[in-house]
Amino acid sequence: MIYSLKEAVEEITLAGYQLEAEAFELLKILHHEEHFKLVIVETINQARKKDLKLLIITRDMIETTLEKLTQEKETTEMKIHPRTTIPFARDIPTEIEILQDGSEETDSSGKIDDFNNYFKDRFQKLSKIIRERLDFNSAKEISYALEKKYGEKVKIIAMVTRRRERTEHLFLDIEDFENTATLMVIREKNKELFEMARRILPDQLIGIEAIHGKGDLLIAEQIVLPDVPERKQKKAKDPINAVLLSDIHIGSTTFCTDAFEKLILWLNGKVGNKKQIEAASRTKYVLIAGDLVDGVGVFPRQEKELSIPDIYQQYKLLAQYIEQIPDYMEVVIIPGNHDAVRQALPQPIIPKDFAEPIYEARNIRTLGNPSEISIHGIHILMYHGRSLDDIIARVPNLSMKTPDKAMEYLLKSRHLAPEYGARTSLAPERRDRLVITNVPDVFQAGHIHVAQNSVYKSTIIVNCGAWQSQTEFQKRMGLDPTPGIMPILNLQTMEVNMMNFMYNEALS
Ligand code: FE
Ligand code: ZN
């Protein structure tokens, strides 16, 4: 099928962009070219990555895309060839430590008492983190603030229970173990603070600098989230790679078989150009952050979108792939919301009853969701990402296109599911194990199906993307995934490179 100039312009407009006159001139020249559609799609993708406020597609941007694609074409030879050298990572000893396994505690009895203990634990852990900041280490309780005279300044730590927004004011109901109060943020007084307060969710812990007003009213001067500290980025001494993947969704009609099989071949050093083969040779770890299979009955009318309707068969096919991962590599697996395990977080490991074939296929490590591991001294927080949906829906200025920004929000909150009682269900436990107590060097998640990476205060943030192209369900939700694009983390340089296993398919 020929992709016309008209279709190209429509695609750009539909994506919400305008076309610069000079860019249109260039498209007129290009539209007979073989890969015209790919150029358009890729330019739109690049524009989205750049800046949320960007509205115009320029000639420059198209030219950059052209350059990138020619380079990729030259370097991407996805022809299968035999492995020619001994992989570098084979002789590097494994250095892995399980720091925190999300499957550890399942002592929930579901009593009301647990609920109170849970919030007490959340409060204590997060207030301790806020107190690690120099400017908040002597912060007080609400009662202290309320005893102060009208107009006096106070510094406290409290949990937000409700947010009410008016045009000019914003009210946060706050509480601690003994008291409640109302924190008022005035737009006129500090616009930046007002915008920041708009992004605060119920159940979050905050540090507050305020002036005591009338009764239980406090007027905000400064609000801080627990956040992660500035620090030096950690790097491993060995030039070893970890590939970060998630959301394989085996069993779905839109599972990208060709791309995933290419990934397996690549791990075996059998596809790719020189640079890519080198990257495979240095790969020692395969970290999978959940949604291994599409599951059954996960969303309404899912059966229409399944090519394998039986969950056992789905895991069986996955096992056939897992088996082919070279034996010197360490494979770590945590579950996601599509896997055959309870939904409430933290999730235990995928039970053997369902996933026996993967346990038999080869030596793997399965952990709960979330879990923390250390490889070559690099601390990695693995989390599937169910709550990212909630965060994106509830916090202003976040979008499905930038899941890394939503992950950054979780880091700032130091909690993987800041709002209790949102769509993400949390297991009733005595302890809150979703507090991000230790600051990770790498924060890996998936679930959104959009591969993105960024750095926030020395923490590498990676959303793994997916191996499933757009489903009918996602189309209805307006989600545009980036299947077959996989982040590779170099533990020595701490750089993340995206490898595109869909390139050949995009061309045809
Ligand atoms: Fe998924
Ligand atoms: Zn998911």
Side-chain angles (χ1 to χ4, degrees):
M1 268 294 279
I2 292 168
Y3 187 70
S4 69
L5 186 60
K6 188 167 164 266
E7 279 173 291
V9 175
E10 269 170 17
E11 180 129 21
I12 291 168
T13 318
L14 265 176
Y17 295 99
Q18 284 177 344
L19 199 56
E20 189 194 54
E22 270 185 68
F24 182 67
E25 290 307 312
L26 180 62
L27 291 189
K28 278 207 291 204
I29 306 166
L30 285 176
H31 84 280
H32 295 296
E33 297 281 323
E34 202 184 346
H35 307 312
F36 183 52
K37 183 171 181 173
L38 186 63
V39 174
I40 300 299
V41 172
E42 190 57 35
T43 307
I44 294 172
N45 281 342
Q46 290 303 325
R48 279 182 178 152
K49 265 184 214 166
K50 260 198 196 119
D51 188 348
L52 291 167
K53 282 165 283 182
L54 185 94
L55 289 168
I56 297 168
I57 300 276
T58 63
R59 185 184 178 111
D60 245 22
M61 289 163 71
I62 298 168
E63 278 169 354
T64 314
T65 307
L66 276 175
E67 231 169 87
K68 181 177 168 272
L69 289 178
T70 358
Q71 263 174 24
E72 262 182 39
K73 199 180 169 193
E74 278 165 13
T75 52
T76 313
E77 270 177 67
M78 284 295 194
K79 272 189 237 117
I80 302 174
H81 50 74
R83 164 159 254 162
T84 47
T85 50
I86 294 168
F88 175 82
R90 201 193 66 176
D91 300 322
I92 299 283
T94 302
E95 274 180 51
I96 185 164
E97 211 186 311
I98 311 303
L99 303 174
Q100 205 74 247
D101 181 352
S103 71
E104 255 167 23
E105 181 178 353
T106 36
D107 72 334
S108 58
S109 48
K111 280 179 290 197
I112 188 85
D113 214 25
D114 280 353
F115 188 72
N116 289 333
N117 284 325
Y118 172 88
F119 270 100
K120 226 182 238 173
D121 189 50
R122 177 188 279 225
F123 197 107
Q124 272 156 356
K125 281 177 177 154
L126 289 169
S127 62
K128 189 167 166 257
I129 292 170
I130 295 176
R131 270 178 220 287
E132 277 162 20
R133 297 173 59 115
L134 273 181
D135 52 342
F136 272 88
N137 66 6
S138 55
K140 300 277 196 307
E141 286 80 48
I142 293 176
S143 62
Y144 165 87
L146 298 182
E147 279 159 19
K148 285 276 168 185
K149 285 200 204 89
Y150 180 88
E152 274 191 284
K153 214 175 237 189
V154 291
K155 237 181 215 186
I156 55 169
I157 293 172
M159 186 179 277
V160 176
T161 52
R162 201 155 70 109
R163 188 188 68 200
R164 287 166 290 150
E165 210 177 313
R166 308 281 177 269
T167 4
E168 292 307 320
H169 301 90
L170 189 148
F171 297 96
L172 297 174
D173 293 347
I174 54 169
E175 65 172 40
D176 58 19
F177 296 123
E178 271 116 35
N179 279 285
T180 61
T182 304
L183 181 69
M184 179 164 75
V185 188
I186 307 165
R187 186 203 288 270
E188 260 309 294
K189 219 175 142 194
N190 188 338
K191 286 197 179 70
E192 217 174 294
L193 180 66
F194 189 84
E195 284 310 310
M196 188 268 178
R198 287 187 67 216
R199 293 167 62 97
I200 291 174
L201 295 173
D203 310 322
Q204 264 182 324
L205 228 73
I206 54 174
I208 302 159
E209 200 185 321
I211 290 167
H212 188 203
K214 279 182 194 140
D216 73 347
L217 190 73
L218 302 169
I219 298 136
E221 299 255 283
Q222 191 203 356
I223 300 174
V224 300
L225 290 173
D227 215 329
V228 295
E230 298 279 2
R231 65 210 188 281
K232 213 175 148 241
Q233 192 170 56
K234 229 203 231 157
K235 289 172 182 186
K237 63 179 197 317
D238 302 302
I240 284 293
N241 289 341
V243 297
L244 309 180
L245 53 150
S246 73
D247 299 271
I248 305 171
H249 289 268
I250 293 204
S252 158
T253 48
T254 58
F255 167 61
C256 304
T257 308
D258 287 355
F260 198 71
E261 284 177 0
K262 254 173 230 154
L263 160 67
I264 301 292
L265 286 166
W266 171 76
L267 287 171
N268 283 281
K270 289 178 179 173
V271 291
N273 60 42
K274 218 175 140 210
K275 222 176 110 195
Q276 290 163 337
I277 293 281
E278 176 68 21
S281 160
R282 291 180 184 279
T283 298
K284 184 84 186 168
Y285 301 91
V286 178
L287 311 180
I288 312 177
D291 280 4
L292 308 175
V293 298
D294 207 45
V296 286
V298 183
F299 54 86
R301 280 170 290 147
Q302 186 191 14
E303 60 283 358
K304 288 194 181 125
E305 301 190 28
L306 290 178
S307 60
I308 308 173
D310 175 349
I311 195 148
Y312 298 94
Q313 295 302 323
Q314 293 177 0
Y315 280 111
K316 207 169 163 186
L317 178 59
L318 175 74
Q320 285 169 16
Y321 289 123
I322 298 276
E323 201 175 10
Q324 295 172 54
I325 298 175
D327 58 4
Y328 62 84
M329 291 183 188
E330 279 288 330
V331 180
V332 183
I333 292 176
I334 65 165
N337 57 308
H338 279 254
D339 287 298
V341 64
R342 77 143 193 236
Q343 295 284 301
L345 295 179
Q347 287 181 291
I349 63 165
I350 306 163
K352 279 205 170 73
D353 307 0
F354 289 103
E356 193 159 21
I358 51 167
Y359 290 90
E360 280 173 1
R362 87 195 281 291
N363 196 11
I364 54 165
R365 285 169 201 265
T366 67
L367 304 171
N369 169 37
S371 281
E372 290 168 52
I373 62 169
S374 160
I375 50 177
H376 299 253
I378 304 297
H379 181 147
I380 302 179
L381 170 58
M382 295 176 74
Y383 170 52
H384 176 63
R386 180 65 182 83
S387 57
L388 293 172
D389 279 346
D390 291 335
I391 299 296
I392 289 168
R394 298 271 285 137
V395 178
N397 305 329
L398 288 179
S399 107
M400 291 285 192
K401 293 185 177 77
T402 52
D404 55 320
K405 294 289 167 235
M407 289 169 71
E408 185 180 305
Y409 185 90
L410 298 183
L411 278 181
K412 284 182 185 159
S413 308
R414 292 294 285 269
H415 202 282
L416 292 175
E419 189 176 12
Y420 195 92
R423 276 175 299 173
T424 308
S425 57
L426 306 182
E429 289 187 355
R430 264 170 236 138
R431 290 191 295 142
D432 186 349
R433 293 190 290 136
L434 297 177
V435 173
I436 306 174
T437 307
N438 307 307
V439 181
D441 300 315
V442 179
F443 181 19
Q444 174 192 13
H447 188 63
I448 301 298
H449 294 210
V450 174
Q452 280 286 3
N453 66 286
S454 53
V455 184
Y456 176 66
K457 289 192 184 171
S458 297
T459 296
I460 311 278
I461 296 178
V462 183
N463 197 288
C464 303
W467 298 88
Q468 178 192 39
S469 57
Q470 197 183 43
T471 63
E472 282 304 314
F473 181 71
Q474 289 168 346
K475 209 179 272 175
R476 288 198 296 273
M477 307 287 290
L479 186 115
D480 210 354
T482 60
I485 296 176
M486 186 192 68
I488 305 168
L489 169 70
N490 180 323
L491 297 172
Q492 193 183 51
T493 62
M494 292 301 267
E495 273 167 0
V496 175
N497 272 301
M498 293 282 180
M499 184 162 167
N500 189 348
F501 289 90
M502 289 286 271
Y503 186 75
N504 286 1
E505 272 130 274
L507 285 182
S508 57

